Amino acid sequence: MLRRGQTLRFRMEMGRMKLDFRLTSRDHARAVTVEDAVVDTTRPHCIAPGSWLELMRQPLKTLPTGYYTEKPVYVPPPGKEGMTAAEQAKQAPNAVRAGPLLCYVVGQPSPAAINVDFVREEDWGFDGAAEDVEMDLRVGRDVIEQTTLFSELRPGGLLSSE
C-alpha cells in the first residue's frame, strides 16, 4: 500500500514561525536550500546574504541574461526597523534587490516568484568564516502573499499578532 507522507509547511518555535524553502535561479540551474528561516511580516522582501547573489546570477541561453531587475536599496538592519520612509531614503544603499527568483516553500504546490534583498553580511551578523553559524534569514511578505500562509495573517491566525 502506498502512503503519502505529510510534510510540515511551517513550525512554531518560541512564538516565531519558521519554514524551509529552496531558492532557485530563473533557469533552475542553481539552488540554495534553506532550513528554519524566520517568517517576518514586517519585511516586504526576503533577506539573504550578499554572497548568494553571485550564486543566483546565471548566464542564460533561453532567457534574457541576468535578472529582470537588480538595483541597490537600503534595508534596515535588525533593530532599526522603526525608520520612516523618509529616513530610509536618506540612507546609503546596503543591499541589492534582485529578482525574480523562484522560491519553493516546503509543502506548497507551486513556487513563489519573489525579489530578494541580498544584504551585506557584516550588517546582519553573518559570519562567513564559520560553517556552523546560524544565519538570520528572513522570509518576507512577498512569499506569504503567494502561498497558503496568507491565511495565517487573518485575525486569530498564527501571524495575526505581528
Side-chain angles (χ1 to χ4, degrees), residues 50-133:
S51 59
W52 292 4
L53 177 61
E54 194 58 41
L55 178 69
M56 290 294 117
R57 275 190 192 125
Q58 179 70 19
L60 306 173
K61 296 182 172 101
T62 57
L63 297 171
T65 304
Y67 297 107
Y68 292 125
T69 61
E70 186 173 311
K71 61 181 178 179
V73 295
Y74 177 75
V75 177
K80 296 187 179 180
E81 287 92 0
M83 297 176 71
T84 64
E87 292 172 339
Q88 287 184 13
K90 294 178 185 176
Q91 299 291 329
N94 65 349
V96 175
R97 182 167 296 149
L101 297 175
L102 295 177
C103 178
Y104 289 91
V105 177
V106 172
Q108 296 295 314
S110 61
I114 60 171
N115 292 320
V116 178
D117 290 337
F118 292 96
V119 298
R120 292 193 311 233
E121 284 86 352
E122 56 270 9
D123 290 348
W124 279 73
F126 299 142
D127 186 9
E131 295 266 336
D132 58 346
V133 170

Side-chain angles (χ1 to χ4, degrees), residues 5-65:
Q6 189 73 306
T7 58
L8 294 174
R9 287 177 247 179
F10 59 86
R11 63 201 150 278
M12 297 297 288
E13 290 181 12
M14 298 187 63
R16 303 199 79 172
M17 182 181 285
K18 295 188 174 188
L19 55 82
D20 302 336
F21 67 92
R22 186 175 53 142
L23 190 64
T24 65
S25 59
R26 289 190 297 148
D27 62 350
H28 293 80
R30 297 187 178 181
V32 176
T33 302
V34 177
E35 295 177 355
D36 293 336
V38 176
V39 176
D40 189 353
T41 59
T42 62
R43 302 277 177 189
H45 301 285
C46 289
I47 303 291
S51 59
W52 292 4
L53 177 61
E54 194 58 41
L55 178 69
M56 290 294 117
R57 275 190 192 125
Q58 179 70 19
L60 306 173
K61 296 182 172 101
T62 57
L63 297 171
T65 304

